[in-house]
Amino acid sequence: MTTEKRRAPAGAAVLRGEITTAIRAAVMQELAEVGYGRLSIEAVARRAGVSKTAIYRRWRSKLDLVLDMVTAVAGRRLPLLDTGSLRGDVEVLLLAASTALGHPLASQIIPDLLAEAARNPQIAETLHRAMRDYQVRLGEIVIGRAVARGELSTGADPWAVADLIVGPVYWRLTISRASLDAAQLSTMATAVVAALRVACAGSPDREKEVWDDRALPESEPRRVGA
């Protein structure tokens, strides 16, 4: 009995993973050096050591290439480790956020992409969607744990929790461009926890609100009055 080796259909492109990885790394480096406006497929191909055809097999344009990168990076989840306390959970998140935002590439790319998002609605929507989904998840998990432990009362707005946790680190590293050491992170964690306690105290009207996601996608719950 003879066996035949299966072959890819004639003309089918086999996209090698290592080439895709090299292209994505090259995009990050080019964005950090020249920004979106001056980014070119030619430069990305040259840096990645591939042909322009290899890039166009994967992405139709410079915009598609960058949107893919933005989705992959912005959609990454900070670790939501359960340390056993709200204070510990917050400090871990602050440390992870400061490490990510303090990376040399991120410190150059993020401001440029935010500026580009003001001019390009597709980039703006991609960033907004990725961060919105994460914001809801972060609020629900971190606050849910703290409520279950008895550290917080109900009534927090999950949409605001991520702002309170990640916002100070983002402002310090990306806007102010100041350093942030371990002692400052610890002080910031204490302040964030205090702010969360105030936010969770809520108002009588807020405590009556419930989450209703029946009419919306899972990643986009909405609040309705009881």
Side-chain angles (χ1 to χ4, degrees), residues 112 114-121:
D112 178 73
L114 289 176
E116 190 61 36
R119 299 183 289 267
N120 189 315

Side-chain angles (χ1 to χ4, degrees), residues 81-112:
L81 302 178
D82 188 348
T83 65
S85 72
L86 176 61
R87 175 68 168 66
D89 289 354
V90 168
E91 189 157 6
V92 166
L93 283 168
L94 291 178
L95 177 60
S98 66
T99 300
L101 292 172
H103 189 282
L105 290 179
S107 65
Q108 296 298 319
I109 293 172
I110 292 174
D112 178 73

Side-chain angles (χ1 to χ4, degrees), residues 26-112:
V27 172
M28 295 282 286
Q29 293 168 345
E30 284 293 312
L31 278 174
E33 287 191 14
V34 305
Y36 179 83
R38 295 172 57 196
L39 181 76
S40 69
I41 295 295
E42 290 79 6
V44 171
R46 186 164 52 250
R47 185 182 288 271
V50 302
S51 66
K52 290 194 297 181
T53 301
I55 296 177
Y56 284 120
R57 282 175 182 165
R58 293 162 172 81
W59 299 277
R60 293 174 300 177
S61 65
K62 177 177 87 169
L63 178 60
D64 285 340
L65 176 57
V66 172
L67 288 179
D68 178 70
M69 187 276 295
V70 168
T71 299
V73 174
R76 287 176 185 170
R77 304 304 192 226
L78 293 178
L80 297 177
L81 302 178
D82 188 348
T83 65
S85 72
L86 176 61
R87 175 68 168 66
D89 289 354
V90 168
E91 189 157 6
V92 166
L93 283 168
L94 291 178
L95 177 60
S98 66
T99 300
L101 292 172
H103 189 282
L105 290 179
S107 65
Q108 296 298 319
I109 293 172
I110 292 174
D112 178 73

Side-chain angles (χ1 to χ4, degrees), residues 13-33:
V14 179
L15 302 182
R16 293 166 53 189
E18 66 271 21
I19 291 180
T20 302
T21 299
I23 293 171
R24 285 178 170 148
V27 172
M28 295 282 286
Q29 293 168 345
E30 284 293 312
L31 278 174
E33 287 191 14

